[in-house]
Amino acid sequence: GVRGIRLEAVVSTQSTGCNWGCHKNVCWSQCNGVCAIKTVTQKLIEQGGSIEDFSDFWNIVTNNGKNCEKCPEWCYLDNGSKGYATCKTNDQCEVYRGNKCMSHCAMI
C-alpha cells in the first residue's frame, strides 16, 4: 500500500488546492477519494440538491473537477494516453496535474 510514503518536493497550487509532483519517476497529484464523501454530504445537507449520477457527485465536491479537498489522498497520473505520466522533476508534471488517476486515490 501507499501508507507511510513520504512525498517530497511537493508543488502546491493555490488556485485549486491540489498538491502534485514527481515521485519515483511518475507524476502524482492530490485527489478526491474517501474525503469527498463527507464534503458532498455536507453540501447536500446545507444547500439541498440531489445526485443523479457519478458526474454530479464529483462536480459537487471538486467545483467541476478543478479543486482538491484538504485531505492526504493522492494517485499516480494518466499521461493522456492511458499510461503513467513519467518524470524526473516536479515541473515536468505540471502539464499532467489535472489528468485522471491511473492508480487508486489512496490516503498516505
Side-chain angles (χ1 to χ4, degrees), residues 42-105:
Q42 286 177 332
K43 285 186 179 182
L44 289 174
I45 290 170
E46 293 168 6
Q47 301 169 7
S50 64
I51 297 174
E52 299 296 325
D53 60 29
F54 202 63
S55 293
D56 288 344
F57 176 87
W58 289 116
N59 287 341
I60 289 170
V61 73
T62 66
N63 186 24
N64 294 317
K66 304 218 182 332
N67 291 316
C68 287
E69 287 299 297
K70 308 273 189 263
C71 188
E73 294 177 293
W74 67 281
C75 67
Y76 287 117
L77 296 171
D78 187 310
N79 64 8
S81 300
K82 307 241 186 263
Y84 287 97
T86 59
C87 57
K88 291 188 191 280
T89 62
N90 288 331
D91 62 329
Q92 292 175 322
C93 298
E94 186 168 5
V95 68
Y96 302 115
R97 70 181 185 201
N99 287 11
K100 294 183 178 186
C101 292
M102 278 294 293
S103 64
H104 295 288
C105 184

Side-chain angles (χ1 to χ4, degrees), residues 7-54:
L7 299 173
E8 297 186 22
V10 173
V11 178
S12 181
T13 306
Q14 293 293 332
S15 62
T16 65
C18 298
N19 295 312
W20 52 275
C22 183
H23 180 68
K24 296 187 178 180
N25 298 319
V26 181
C27 295
W28 65 274
S29 176
Q30 185 177 350
C31 53
N32 295 307
V34 174
C35 293
I37 295 169
K38 179 181 175 188
T39 299
V40 169
T41 302
Q42 286 177 332
K43 285 186 179 182
L44 289 174
I45 290 170
E46 293 168 6
Q47 301 169 7
S50 64
I51 297 174
E52 299 296 325
D53 60 29
F54 202 63

